[in-house]
Amino acid sequence: MVEDDRPPSPEEMLRVIEEQRAATTKWLYGDPLLLYMPWGVAWLIGFTAFFLHYGLDGRAYAPISQMQALAVLMAAQIVAGAIAAYGIVRMNSLVRGDSSARGAMFGYAWMAGMLLMVVICLRMGPLLPPDETGLLWAGTSLLVVAVLHMAGGAIWLNWPMFFIGAWVAAVDALGVLLGAGWHALLTAVLLGGGFIVASVWLRRHDR
């Protein structure tokens, strides 16, 4: 058996360097399919249910109650959050030191933000009309998502993550101003569909 002791060629060295760079980038920024795709699917399904309940002219487009639409959205977001959390934990397990600590604190911030959102909505929701209650839950949940995406982008110097958070904030603000029906429609199409497209594009771009 003859061992090949020849030194690697420049082409082979460049290929190894590029593979290591791509792997490091994926570790730092996470897998877009895990971080964005679940939220896109959850919002597309959940806010479509809300849109069918509210309509744009005050009349429901389907026999879906507000509680049924909220249950669909919450269930979809719980699944999406679990998948995204897995992606963050997996990403965080590959780094040590300050980066690991930042990732852990960022994960706790998500938990704290969502818990605070639930407390606020449970306290303020009964004081509002039914449509406004649904808008309160939807608007505050997207507020948390927007702010934490922008914060995550700042922490890891990840411009796509930051701009995605800004996009969520802009769509959320516009929808809240227009009302519950429009908020549900804009969120389902621009954020649900947008996150799905962004996850696929970012994954292909990483490759």
Side-chain angles (χ1 to χ4, degrees):
M1 181 177 179
V2 179
E3 295 184 358
D4 187 3
D5 293 330
R6 65 180 178 81
S9 66
E11 291 78 9
E12 290 174 333
M13 294 179 65
L14 288 174
R15 179 179 57 80
V16 171
I17 292 172
E18 177 59 26
E19 289 175 352
Q20 292 176 342
R21 183 204 64 79
T24 302
T25 300
K26 189 172 182 179
W27 292 349
L28 290 174
Y29 294 159
D31 187 344
L33 291 182
L34 288 178
L35 296 178
Y36 301 123
M37 177 71 77
W39 289 108
V41 173
W43 290 340
L44 183 62
I45 295 173
F47 283 101
T48 296
F50 265 115
F51 172 67
L52 294 176
H53 166 73
Y54 290 128
L56 295 179
D57 54 3
R59 293 178 299 178
Y61 295 156
I64 300 175
S65 70
Q66 187 179 53
M67 290 306 299
Q68 288 173 334
L70 180 61
V72 170
L73 176 61
M74 289 297 104
Q77 288 194 138
I78 289 172
V79 174
I83 297 174
Y86 167 75
I88 293 173
V89 169
R90 192 180 72 168
M91 174 181 68
N92 196 48
S93 67
L94 298 172
V95 294
R96 295 293 183 269
D98 292 343
S99 295
S100 178
R102 281 195 293 266
M105 287 187 285
F106 186 64
Y108 295 141
W110 271 99
M111 183 184 302
M114 288 300 178
L115 287 176
L116 179 59
M117 179 270 296
V118 170
V119 171
I120 292 173
C121 291
L122 287 176
R123 177 65 180 85
M124 301 302 297
L127 305 178
L128 300 173
D131 286 1
E132 298 301 316
T133 299
L135 189 58
L136 174 67
W137 280 90
T140 52
S141 66
L142 291 181
L143 171 64
V144 173
V145 171
V147 171
L148 288 177
H149 268 82
M150 287 189 285
I155 291 171
W156 287 291
L157 298 179
N158 186 332
W159 280 106
M161 190 176 191
F162 181 86
F163 285 128
I164 286 174
W167 175 243
V168 173
V171 173
D172 188 30
L174 178 61
V176 168
L177 292 174
L178 293 177
W182 279 104
H183 186 273
L185 177 62
L186 293 175
T187 303
V189 175
L190 298 181
L191 295 185
F195 265 51
I196 293 173
V197 172
S199 68
V200 174
W201 184 86
L202 289 172
R203 183 66 176 271
R204 290 173 61 89
H205 179 72
D206 287 345
R207 288 180 177 179

Coordinates of all heavy atoms in Angstrom, one line a residue, residues 121-175:
C121 N -51.3 41.0 27.5 CA -52.5 40.7 26.7 C -53.6 40.1 27.6 O -54.8 40.5 27.5 CB -52.2 39.8 25.6 SG -51.2 40.5 24.3
L122 N -53.2 39.3 28.6 CA -54.2 38.7 29.5 C -54.8 39.8 30.4 O -56.0 39.7 30.7 CB -53.6 37.6 30.3 CG -53.3 36.3 29.6 CD1 -52.6 35.3 30.6 CD2 -54.6 35.6 29.1
R123 N -54.0 40.8 30.7 CA -54.5 41.9 31.6 C -55.3 42.9 30.8 O -56.3 43.4 31.3 CB -53.3 42.6 32.2 CG -53.7 43.7 33.1 CD -54.5 43.3 34.3 NE -54.8 44.5 35.2 CZ -55.9 45.3 35.0 NH1 -56.7 45.0 33.9 NH2 -56.1 46.3 35.8
M124 N -54.9 43.2 29.6 CA -55.5 44.3 28.9 C -56.6 43.8 27.9 O -57.5 44.6 27.6 CB -54.5 45.1 28.0 CG -53.4 45.7 28.9 SD -54.0 46.9 30.1 CE -54.7 48.1 29.1
G125 N -56.5 42.6 27.5 CA -57.5 42.0 26.5 C -58.9 42.2 26.9 O -59.8 42.6 26.1
P126 N -59.3 41.8 28.2 CA -60.7 41.9 28.6 C -61.3 43.3 28.5 O -62.5 43.5 28.6 CB -60.7 41.3 30.0 CG -59.5 40.4 30.0 CD -58.5 41.1 29.2
L127 N -60.4 44.3 28.5 CA -60.9 45.7 28.5 C -61.2 46.2 27.1 O -61.7 47.3 27.0 CB -59.8 46.6 29.2 CG -59.3 46.2 30.6 CD1 -58.2 47.1 31.1 CD2 -60.5 46.2 31.5
L128 N -60.9 45.4 26.1 CA -61.1 45.9 24.7 C -62.2 45.1 24.0 O -62.5 44.0 24.4 CB -59.7 45.7 24.0 CG -58.5 46.4 24.5 CD1 -57.3 45.9 23.8 CD2 -58.7 47.9 24.4
P129 N -62.7 45.7 22.9 CA -63.6 44.9 22.1 C -63.0 43.7 21.5 O -61.7 43.6 21.4 CB -64.0 45.9 21.0 CG -63.7 47.3 21.5 CD -62.5 47.0 22.4
P130 N -63.8 42.7 21.1 CA -63.2 41.4 20.6 C -62.1 41.6 19.5 O -61.0 41.0 19.5 CB -64.4 40.6 20.1 CG -65.5 41.1 20.9 CD -65.2 42.6 21.1
D131 N -62.5 42.4 18.5 CA -61.5 42.6 17.4 C -60.2 43.2 17.8 O -59.1 42.9 17.4 CB -62.1 43.4 16.2 CG -63.2 42.6 15.5 OD1 -63.4 41.4 15.8 OD2 -63.8 43.2 14.5
E132 N -60.4 44.2 18.7 CA -59.2 44.9 19.2 C -58.3 43.9 20.1 O -57.1 44.1 20.2 CB -59.6 46.1 20.0 CG -60.3 47.2 19.2 CD -59.5 47.6 18.0 OE1 -58.2 47.9 18.2 OE2 -60.0 47.7 16.9
T133 N -59.0 43.0 20.8 CA -58.3 42.0 21.6 C -57.4 41.2 20.7 O -56.2 40.9 21.1 CB -59.2 41.2 22.4 OG1 -60.0 42.0 23.3 CG2 -58.5 40.1 23.2
G134 N -57.9 40.7 19.6 CA -57.1 39.9 18.7 C -56.0 40.7 18.1 O -54.9 40.2 18.0
L135 N -56.2 42.0 17.8 CA -55.2 42.8 17.3 C -54.1 43.1 18.4 O -52.9 43.2 18.0 CB -55.8 44.1 16.8 CG -54.9 45.1 16.1 CD1 -54.3 44.4 14.8 CD2 -55.6 46.4 15.7
L136 N -54.5 43.1 19.6 CA -53.5 43.3 20.7 C -52.6 42.1 20.8 O -51.4 42.3 20.9 CB -54.3 43.5 22.0 CG -53.4 43.5 23.3 CD1 -52.5 44.8 23.3 CD2 -54.3 43.4 24.6
W137 N -53.1 40.9 20.8 CA -52.3 39.7 20.8 C -51.4 39.6 19.6 O -50.2 39.4 19.7 CB -53.2 38.5 20.9 CG -53.7 38.1 22.2 CD1 -54.9 38.6 22.7 CD2 -53.2 37.3 23.2 NE1 -55.1 38.1 24.0 CE2 -54.0 37.3 24.3 CE3 -52.0 36.6 23.3 CZ2 -53.8 36.6 25.5 CZ3 -51.7 35.8 24.4 CH2 -52.6 35.8 25.5
A138 N -51.9 39.9 18.4 CA -51.1 39.8 17.2 C -50.0 40.8 17.2 O -48.9 40.6 16.8 CB -52.0 39.9 16.0
G139 N -50.4 42.1 17.4 CA -49.5 43.2 17.3 C -48.4 43.1 18.3 O -47.2 43.3 18.0
T140 N -48.7 42.7 19.6 CA -47.6 42.6 20.6 C -46.7 41.4 20.3 O -45.5 41.5 20.6 CB -48.2 42.5 22.0 OG1 -49.1 41.4 22.0 CG2 -48.8 43.8 22.4
S141 N -47.2 40.3 19.8 CA -46.3 39.2 19.5 C -45.4 39.5 18.4 O -44.2 39.2 18.5 CB -47.2 37.9 19.2 OG -47.9 38.1 17.9
L142 N -45.8 40.2 17.4 CA -44.9 40.6 16.3 C -43.9 41.7 16.8 O -42.8 41.8 16.3 CB -45.7 41.1 15.1 CG -46.5 40.1 14.4 CD1 -47.3 40.7 13.2 CD2 -45.7 38.9 13.9
L143 N -44.4 42.5 17.7 CA -43.4 43.5 18.3 C -42.2 42.8 18.9 O -41.1 43.2 18.7 CB -44.2 44.4 19.3 CG -43.3 45.3 20.2 CD1 -42.7 46.4 19.3 CD2 -44.2 46.0 21.3
V144 N -42.5 41.8 19.7 CA -41.4 41.0 20.4 C -40.5 40.4 19.3 O -39.3 40.5 19.4 CB -42.0 40.0 21.3 CG1 -40.9 39.1 21.9 CG2 -42.8 40.6 22.5
V145 N -41.1 39.8 18.3 CA -40.3 39.2 17.3 C -39.5 40.2 16.5 O -38.3 40.0 16.3 CB -41.2 38.4 16.3 CG1 -40.5 38.0 15.1 CG2 -42.0 37.3 16.9
A146 N -40.0 41.3 16.2 CA -39.3 42.4 15.5 C -38.1 42.9 16.3 O -37.0 43.0 15.8 CB -40.2 43.5 15.1
V147 N -38.4 43.3 17.5 CA -37.3 43.8 18.4 C -36.2 42.8 18.6 O -35.0 43.2 18.5 CB -37.9 44.3 19.7 CG1 -36.8 44.7 20.7 CG2 -38.8 45.5 19.5
L148 N -36.5 41.6 18.9 CA -35.5 40.6 19.2 C -34.7 40.2 17.9 O -33.5 39.9 18.0 CB -36.1 39.4 19.8 CG -36.5 39.6 21.3 CD1 -37.2 38.4 21.9 CD2 -35.3 40.0 22.1
H149 N -35.4 40.2 16.8 CA -34.6 40.0 15.5 C -33.6 41.1 15.3 O -32.4 40.8 14.9 CB -35.5 39.8 14.3 CG -36.0 38.4 14.1 ND1 -37.0 37.8 14.7 CD2 -35.5 37.5 13.2 CE1 -37.1 36.6 14.3 NE2 -36.2 36.4 13.3
M150 N -34.0 42.3 15.5 CA -33.1 43.4 15.3 C -31.9 43.4 16.4 O -30.8 43.6 16.1 CB -33.8 44.8 15.4 CG -34.6 45.0 14.1 SD -35.3 46.7 14.1 CE -36.6 46.6 15.3
A151 N -32.3 43.0 17.6 CA -31.3 42.9 18.6 C -30.3 41.7 18.3 O -29.1 41.9 18.5 CB -31.9 42.6 20.0
G152 N -30.8 40.6 17.8 CA -30.0 39.5 17.4 C -29.0 39.9 16.3 O -27.9 39.5 16.3
G153 N -29.6 40.7 15.3 CA -28.7 41.1 14.2 C -27.6 42.0 14.7 O -26.5 41.9 14.2
A154 N -27.9 42.8 15.8 CA -26.9 43.7 16.3 C -25.8 42.9 17.1 O -24.6 43.2 17.1 CB -27.5 44.8 17.2
I155 N -26.3 41.9 17.8 CA -25.4 41.1 18.6 C -24.4 40.3 17.8 O -23.2 40.3 18.1 CB -26.2 40.1 19.5 CG1 -27.0 40.8 20.6 CG2 -25.2 39.0 20.1 CD1 -27.9 39.9 21.3
W156 N -24.9 39.7 16.7 CA -24.0 38.9 15.8 C -23.6 39.6 14.6 O -23.0 39.0 13.7 CB -24.7 37.6 15.5 CG -24.8 36.6 16.7 CD1 -23.7 36.0 17.3 CD2 -25.9 36.3 17.4 NE1 -24.2 35.2 18.3 CE2 -25.5 35.4 18.5 CE3 -27.3 36.6 17.3 CZ2 -26.4 34.8 19.4 CZ3 -28.2 36.0 18.2 CH2 -27.7 35.2 19.2
L157 N -23.8 40.9 14.5 CA -23.5 41.7 13.3 C -24.1 41.0 12.0 O -23.4 40.9 11.0 CB -22.0 41.8 13.2 CG -21.3 42.6 14.3 CD1 -19.8 42.7 14.1 CD2 -21.9 44.0 14.5
N158 N -25.3 40.5 12.1 CA -26.0 39.8 11.1 C -27.0 40.8 10.4 O -28.1 40.9 10.9 CB -26.7 38.6 11.6 CG -27.3 37.7 10.6 OD1 -27.7 38.2 9.5 ND2 -27.4 36.4 10.9
W159 N -26.6 41.4 9.3 CA -27.5 42.4 8.7 C -28.8 41.8 8.2 O -29.9 42.4 8.3 CB -26.8 43.1 7.6 CG -25.9 44.2 8.1 CD1 -24.5 44.1 8.1 CD2 -26.2 45.4 8.6 NE1 -24.0 45.3 8.7 CE2 -25.0 46.1 9.0 CE3 -27.5 46.1 8.8 CZ2 -25.0 47.4 9.5 CZ3 -27.5 47.3 9.4 CH2 -26.3 48.0 9.7
P160 N -28.8 40.6 7.6 CA -30.1 40.0 7.1 C -31.1 39.8 8.3 O -32.3 40.2 8.2 CB -29.7 38.7 6.5 CG -28.3 38.9 6.0 CD -27.7 39.8 7.0
M161 N -30.6 39.4 9.4 CA -31.5 39.2 10.6 C -32.0 40.6 11.1 O -33.2 40.7 11.5 CB -30.7 38.5 11.7 CG -31.5 38.1 12.9 SD -30.5 37.2 14.1 CE -31.7 36.5 15.2
F162 N -31.1 41.6 11.1 CA -31.6 42.9 11.5 C -32.6 43.5 10.6 O -33.7 44.0 11.0 CB -30.4 43.9 11.6 CG -30.7 45.3 12.0 CD1 -30.8 45.6 13.3 CD2 -31.0 46.2 11.1 CE1 -31.1 46.9 13.8 CE2 -31.4 47.5 11.5 CZ -31.4 47.8 12.8
F163 N -32.4 43.4 9.3 CA -33.4 43.9 8.3 C -34.7 43.1 8.3 O -35.8 43.7 8.1 CB -32.8 43.9 6.9 CG -31.8 45.0 6.7 CD1 -30.5 44.7 6.2 CD2 -32.1 46.3 7.0 CE1 -29.6 45.7 6.0 CE2 -31.1 47.3 6.8 CZ -29.9 47.0 6.3
I164 N -34.6 41.8 8.6 CA -35.9 41.0 8.7 C -36.7 41.5 9.9 O -37.9 41.7 9.9 CB -35.5 39.5 8.9 CG1 -35.1 39.0 7.5 CG2 -36.7 38.8 9.4 CD1 -34.6 37.6 7.5
G165 N -36.0 41.8 11.0 CA -36.7 42.4 12.2 C -37.3 43.7 11.9 O -38.5 44.0 12.3
A166 N -36.6 44.6 11.1 CA -37.2 45.9 10.8 C -38.4 45.7 9.8 O -39.3 46.5 9.9 CB -36.1 46.7 10.1
W167 N -38.3 44.7 9.0 CA -39.4 44.5 8.1 C -40.7 44.0 8.9 O -41.8 44.4 8.6 CB -39.0 43.4 7.1 CG -40.1 42.9 6.1 CD1 -40.6 41.6 6.1 CD2 -40.8 43.7 5.1 NE1 -41.6 41.6 5.1 CE2 -41.7 42.8 4.5 CE3 -40.7 45.0 4.7 CZ2 -42.6 43.2 3.5 CZ3 -41.6 45.4 3.7 CH2 -42.5 44.5 3.1
V168 N -40.5 43.1 9.9 CA -41.6 42.7 10.7 C -42.2 43.9 11.4 O -43.4 44.0 11.5 CB -41.1 41.7 11.7 CG1 -42.2 41.3 12.7 CG2 -40.6 40.4 11.0
A169 N -41.3 44.8 11.9 CA -41.8 46.0 12.7 C -42.6 46.9 11.7 O -43.7 47.4 12.1 CB -40.6 46.8 13.2
A170 N -42.2 47.1 10.5 CA -42.9 47.9 9.6 C -44.3 47.4 9.2 O -45.3 48.1 9.2 CB -42.0 48.2 8.3
V171 N -44.3 46.1 8.9 CA -45.6 45.4 8.5 C -46.5 45.4 9.7 O -47.7 45.7 9.6 CB -45.3 44.0 8.0 CG1 -46.6 43.3 7.8 CG2 -44.5 44.0 6.7
D172 N -46.0 45.2 10.9 CA -46.8 45.1 12.1 C -47.4 46.5 12.4 O -48.6 46.6 12.6 CB -46.0 44.7 13.3 CG -46.8 44.5 14.6 OD1 -48.0 44.1 14.4 OD2 -46.2 44.7 15.7
A173 N -46.6 47.6 12.3 CA -47.1 48.9 12.5 C -48.2 49.3 11.5 O -49.3 49.9 11.9 CB -46.0 49.9 12.5
L174 N -48.0 49.0 10.2 CA -48.9 49.3 9.2 C -50.2 48.6 9.4 O -51.3 49.1 9.3 CB -48.4 49.0 7.8 CG -49.3 49.3 6.6 CD1 -49.7 50.8 6.5 CD2 -48.6 48.8 5.3
G175 N -50.1 47.3 9.7 CA -51.3 46.5 10.0 C -52.1 47.0 11.2 O -53.4 47.0 11.1

